[in-house]
Amino acid sequence: MATSQRKSYVIGVGMTNFIKPRGQVDYPVMAREAMVKALMDIGKTYDVIQQAYVGYCFGDSTCGQRAVYQLGMTQIPVINVNNNCSTGSTALYLARQAVEFGIVDCALALGFEKMAKGSISSSFNDRTSPLDTTVSLLSETRGITNSPFTAQIFGNAGIEYCEKYGATAEHMAKIGEKNHRHSAKNPYAQLKDVYTLDQVKSSPQIFGPLTKLQCCPTSDGSAAVIVASEKFVLENNLQNQAIEIVAQELATDSPNLLEKKSSIELAGADMTRKAAKQVYKKAGITPNDIQVIELHDCFSANELITYDALGLCKPGQAHKLIDSNDVTYGGKYVINPSGGLISKGHPLGATGLAQCSELVWQLRGWCTNRQVPNIKYALQHNIGLGGAVVVTIYKQAELSNKNDDKEGWKQRFNYNPAIESKGITEKDFRNVCSKQVSEYLIATAKL
């Protein structure tokens, strides 16, 4: 297999508030805000973007072009990406590859979602579902109820973990309590209320041990990430804010998904194991070297089994991390300082890029009231059933003439975007537009 020839760096990030789907904000508006903020972060116009990878799950073909054309019709390649809940990270994966293999020096990964109300369901009922075998095996092994299908997949994984290793429903509830507590300090989070453990446990039951406050909401939102080469970083004096993508792996399912007849495997645990093993090897580190993690807690049960799959604990001991308080501030790891999907929200195409944004802000030291101290390495985990998982390791860039500037945001914004969410102005928009922007599009836009 070919190896990467160059290093890649995240140099710009931006995101919108994640909000309850009400149909009030369309995807071009959300995408525009995220892109403008990411370009403001680097102090450049859209003209520097040489390729764009745009992720979304619900929308017609070429929504990506419609989104990015707002900032410029520069005739660059625009590739639309759909990989279920790992869509955003898959767009990032492709942008990183383009940079590392020397195809471009600067690429955009953009993700957005305008979702329907209620739990996720299939969009097409006249063809084979990509999850048809998963549905069949779930029916054979655990049975199917009227509860939301994804809650059954991940809820049964949590039940099996409890049966095999001695974890309890209370451990999952503690994950929900933790993530809601963390989200209170994230200005972009859809849900910011803090709940006691009893309130989490007594909220309406969704499936098995999972209550409402342990399940991510559907959301509308967008996030954008700009990836660049070392050459681009140095030429544009972006060393202080550049965050290195140390290693990244995208993995898909193994035969264990279908052959083990295990609820844990049906939730994609084996592809997480594979990606994690490879990413640690590539980075030359172990889980013990990591301080902060954003992982895919679509349900508290998935966070529980993912501790194990990522190697954060010995096999079968995920619940012991919770018992020892090693998943929050003051413990071994801080997991989901953003509040995770459970509280921040889960607009499918944007989730992976929002995770990246949080870790970039953490590594820059911009997060103040939710800052994780003394970060050397950060890990991101984003999974989609069907299936695909992306696991990424980040660290601060080690570049010449780099300073540790924890107030670097002052160069680009009149506020700290890590701890305060503000919309964009028409001036912000105009300042980052390409020279090849369409005035017709601007005239029809809702600025």
Side-chain angles (χ1 to χ4, degrees):
M1 181 181 292
T3 56
S4 301
Q5 299 299 306
R6 309 195 299 178
K7 291 183 178 181
S8 60
Y9 301 87
V10 175
I11 55 170
V13 297
M15 64 180 289
T16 69
N17 289 347
F18 286 3
I19 61 175
K20 184 176 181 180
R22 294 190 178 96
Q24 295 176 344
V25 185
D26 208 353
Y27 75 88
V29 178
M30 295 185 283
R32 182 172 61 234
E33 180 179 336
M35 289 188 293
V36 168
K37 288 177 175 178
L39 287 164
M40 289 173 65
D41 197 16
I42 66 171
K44 300 293 177 183
T45 70
Y46 183 72
D47 290 299
V48 302
I49 304 299
Q50 296 167 305
Q51 286 191 4
Y53 299 88
V54 186
Y56 58 95
C57 293
F58 303 107
D60 291 329
S61 297
T62 67
C63 284
Q65 281 87 330
R66 179 62 180 84
V68 303
Y69 281 176
Q70 298 175 99
L71 296 188
M73 301 181 75
T74 57
Q75 299 188 296
I76 62 169
V78 178
I79 296 94
N80 292 274
V81 180
N82 182 341
N83 228 2
N84 214 340
C85 298
S86 62
T87 291
S89 288
T90 302
L92 178 61
Y93 180 89
L94 295 169
R96 175 197 58 80
Q97 280 193 326
V99 170
E100 288 193 357
F101 286 100
I103 299 170
V104 299
D105 282 306
C106 186
L108 169 70
L110 170 67
F112 52 77
E113 215 68 71
K114 181 180 179 182
M115 300 186 72
K117 297 178 181 178
S119 58
I120 297 172
S121 59
S122 176
S123 299
F124 302 99
N125 297 315
D126 61 346
R127 64 205 70 185
T128 300
S129 166
L131 297 177
D132 64 333
T133 54
T134 298
V135 173
S136 296
L137 278 170
L138 179 64
S139 179
E140 292 174 17
T141 56
R142 295 280 178 174
I144 293 179
T145 72
N146 291 326
S147 298
F149 175 68
T150 50
Q152 294 182 63
I153 287 288
F154 292 103
N156 278 314
I159 290 169
E160 182 178 302
Y161 200 91
C162 292
E163 292 170 350
K164 291 180 69 173
Y165 303 118
T168 66
E170 180 145 327
H171 288 108
M172 287 180 260
K174 286 181 177 179
I175 289 171
E177 183 278 325
K178 166 185 70 73
N179 290 347
H180 283 289
R181 174 166 30 93
H182 287 179
S183 74
K185 295 180 179 179
N186 181 359
Y188 300 92
Q190 182 172 338
L191 307 174
K192 298 184 181 70
D193 291 336
V194 176
Y195 300 93
T196 66
L197 180 60
D198 284 342
Q199 287 174 317
V200 173
K201 290 164 63 176
S202 62
S203 62
Q205 183 188 34
I206 302 301
F207 175 79
L210 299 177
T211 63
K212 184 177 181 179
L213 293 176
Q214 299 174 61
C215 305
C216 70
T218 50
S219 314
D220 288 352
S222 180
V225 172
I226 299 172
V227 183
S229 66
E230 183 172 336
K231 174 176 176 287
F232 186 95
V233 172
L234 295 176
E235 287 179 350
N236 292 280
N237 196 30
L238 295 167
Q239 298 96 309
N240 291 350
Q241 65 193 69
I243 299 300
E244 183 180 345
I245 302 176
V246 182
Q248 187 177 57
E249 288 290 324
L250 190 158
T252 54
D253 291 301
S254 75
N256 283 349
L257 176 77
L258 305 177
E259 302 301 323
K260 292 285 188 178
K261 292 184 169 54
S262 159
S263 295
I264 293 172
E265 299 306 325
L266 285 180
D270 203 41
M271 55 182 172
T272 292
R273 293 186 203 105
K274 168 71 173 180
K277 181 179 179 181
Q278 291 298 111
V279 84
Y280 295 139
K281 181 179 179 181
K282 186 177 289 186
I285 66 171
T286 73
N288 292 326
D289 296 307
I290 293 164
Q291 289 76 42
V292 60
I293 298 164
E294 283 282 311
L295 66 77
H296 197 94
D297 62 318
C298 49
F299 300 90
S300 60
N302 197 48
E303 180 163 331
L304 178 74
I305 67 170
T306 300
Y307 295 166
D308 197 314
L310 287 173
L312 305 181
C313 59
K314 293 180 180 179
Q317 295 187 12
H319 51 298
K320 294 185 179 180
L321 277 179
I322 298 167
D323 289 337
S324 59
N325 210 39
D326 277 332
V327 294
T328 188
Y329 294 87
K332 182 176 182 179
Y333 307 108
V334 178
I335 299 178
N336 288 327
S338 70
L341 283 62
I342 285 175
S343 300
K344 183 177 67 218
H346 184 27
L348 276 61
T351 287
L353 298 170
Q355 290 178 319
C356 174
S357 297
E358 174 69 19
L359 294 177
V360 165
W361 287 325
Q362 288 283 351
L363 280 159
R364 289 179 182 173
W366 290 11
C367 289
T368 64
N369 61 352
R370 68 176 189 282
Q371 182 64 49
V372 178
N374 305 316
I375 304 173
K376 186 175 181 181
Y377 291 100
L379 182 144
Q380 177 189 351
H381 165 269
N382 186 203
I383 194 169
L385 294 176
V389 64
V390 183
V391 178
T392 311
I393 293 175
Y394 305 92
K395 71 174 183 179
Q396 286 192 11
E398 297 175 355
L399 296 167
S400 59
N401 300 318
K402 173 179 167 56
N403 297 313
D404 185 16
D405 185 2
K406 292 181 173 57
E407 294 188 336
W409 51 271
K410 290 182 177 179
Q411 299 177 39
R412 314 291 189 204
F413 303 90
N414 60 5
Y415 66 99
N416 181 349
I419 60 169
E420 187 175 0
S421 174
K422 291 187 176 182
I424 58 170
T425 65
E426 183 174 356
K427 182 180 178 182
D428 295 332
F429 171 69
R430 289 281 189 176
N431 284 344
V432 301
C433 280
S434 164
K435 297 174 184 177
Q436 299 181 62
V437 71
S438 164
E439 290 298 330
Y440 179 84
L441 272 181
I442 291 178
T444 59
K446 296 178 181 179
L447 293 174

